[in-house]
Amino acid sequence: MARHALRYSDPNQQVKPEFFASLRVPNTYTKGTSDGLSFLKRTWISVLQYPIVAFILAIVQSVTQAQGTYCLEGKGAHFSKIYITVINIISLYMAIFNIIRFHKHLKSYMGENKPMQKLIAFKMVVGLEFLEQIIFMILDATNTLKPSATLSYADIIIGIPTMIICLQVVPFAFFFFHAFNLKPYTKANTTRASDGSQQYLAVDGNEAGSPLGKRYKGGPLGIYAWIELFNPGELYHSIRNTWRMFREAKMGKSEMNLNPEPYA
């Protein structure tokens, strides 16, 4: 399994399409199977759509609020809030559903990376917030929560939901240190795989007899990693490279169909 996990996380762009092309993944809708590259593409699009949709909905909310057609407590069909909320819920559900499905079919290849712990640490916060939005929508619609001498309208709409979110992320903040453990990426634990590539590619200078020894690629205190974190070009390059991978894999599959190997 470690060998497969290494190939899956290999930075070599050629290894990834080869790895996924070798997989047959059960298809939920046709009850058959589909190739791993098609499965990866559907998952990638389904997850990537959420930040795009959320950004568009934020713009729509600002525009409709300026036009007076967005109301925080409006429940009528003539207010845009209900449509924005429904679209956001559907988009979020698609992203989370496909992430869970991806883990279900590929967990045997990612066991050493503890993907479920990472998924729970991040997505459970989003899932709880999503559930709480539904609960407060129901409470607001049924007038179960309403202003009183000790509870204002702002407390019901903003104060209480925000306080709950702030309290529940505290234990998750500690859980993040466990789920996203740095130990596999430290110099003492970074080893070489049998094919000559570093297991996690966290350090440079791992060659025998290197005068500098192992060095972190992130630079002093990870300064290079922080710079890359705030580099918007990284997101663009990642999307472009992934889309190019899908396109080249599709072209390669088409060439194989046009020029099949002779039957032996």
Side-chain angles (χ1 to χ4, degrees):
M1 291 302 177
R3 176 73 174 177
H4 290 294
L6 172 65
R7 287 177 58 81
Y8 169 70
S9 60
D10 199 307
N12 185 348
Q13 292 296 320
Q14 184 60 31
V15 172
K16 294 178 182 178
E18 291 176 357
F19 171 80
F20 282 99
S22 66
L23 300 178
R24 299 299 301 178
V25 181
N27 193 308
T28 307
Y29 306 103
T30 63
K31 303 301 181 181
T33 60
S34 59
D35 64 277
L37 276 172
S38 299
F39 170 72
L40 175 63
K41 185 176 181 179
R42 289 195 301 268
T43 304
W44 183 73
I45 293 175
S46 298
V47 174
L48 187 63
Q49 57 80 29
Y50 176 67
I52 298 175
V53 171
F55 177 74
I56 294 174
L57 290 179
I59 296 176
V60 172
Q61 179 177 334
S62 299
V63 172
T64 54
Q65 194 167 14
Q67 293 177 341
T69 56
Y70 180 91
C71 181
L72 190 60
E73 59 175 342
K75 306 179 184 67
H78 56 285
F79 290 117
S80 64
K81 180 189 175 183
I82 183 65
Y83 305 106
I84 292 175
T85 303
V86 170
I87 294 174
N88 182 67
I89 290 174
I90 294 175
S91 177
L92 178 61
Y93 171 80
M94 286 179 56
I96 294 179
F97 173 79
N98 281 275
I99 290 174
I100 295 176
R101 187 178 63 169
F102 183 87
H103 169 265
K104 175 184 176 182
H105 294 308
L106 277 82
K107 60 182 178 181
S108 60
Y109 301 96
M110 303 184 294
E112 65 178 16
N113 297 317
K114 301 179 180 179
M116 181 52 71
Q117 291 186 12
K118 293 179 172 63
L119 180 65
I120 292 175
F122 178 68
K123 292 302 179 183
M124 186 61 75
V125 178
V126 179
L128 285 175
E129 184 179 354
F130 168 69
L131 179 61
E132 288 157 7
Q133 286 180 357
I134 297 177
I135 292 175
F136 277 97
M137 284 177 60
I138 296 174
L139 293 176
D140 181 46
T142 57
N143 290 322
T144 303
L145 280 179
K146 49 188 176 182
S148 64
T150 57
L151 201 62
S152 68
Y153 172 78
D155 292 333
I156 298 173
I157 300 299
I158 301 175
I160 296 178
T162 304
M163 181 187 67
I164 293 176
I165 293 174
C166 291
L167 291 176
Q168 70 190 16
V169 297
V170 173
F172 281 102
F174 290 101
F175 183 53
F176 262 79
F177 284 99
H178 174 72
F180 293 88
N181 190 359
L182 296 178
K183 186 177 180 180
Y185 305 95
T186 58
K187 291 186 289 188
N189 289 279
T190 304
T191 59
R192 278 187 169 273
S194 59
D195 62 352
S197 61
Q198 282 187 317
Q199 185 177 1
Y200 290 102
L201 300 173
V203 298
D204 278 327
N206 194 32
E207 305 293 343
S210 173
L212 298 177
K214 296 179 180 179
R215 298 175 300 170
Y216 287 111
K217 288 186 175 182
L221 300 177
I223 183 64
Y224 300 146
W226 282 105
I227 293 175
E228 291 298 326
L229 174 65
F230 294 102
N231 179 12
E234 281 295 300
L235 177 61
Y236 166 75
H237 289 303
S238 296
I239 295 175
R240 184 192 64 179
N241 292 338
T242 304
W243 191 259
R244 180 184 297 173
M245 180 186 74
F246 291 138
R247 184 183 61 187
E248 292 177 353
K250 183 177 180 180
M251 291 174 60
K253 188 184 297 185
S254 300
E255 291 177 0
M256 291 179 61
N257 293 333
L258 291 174
N259 303 289
E261 294 183 1
Y263 179 78

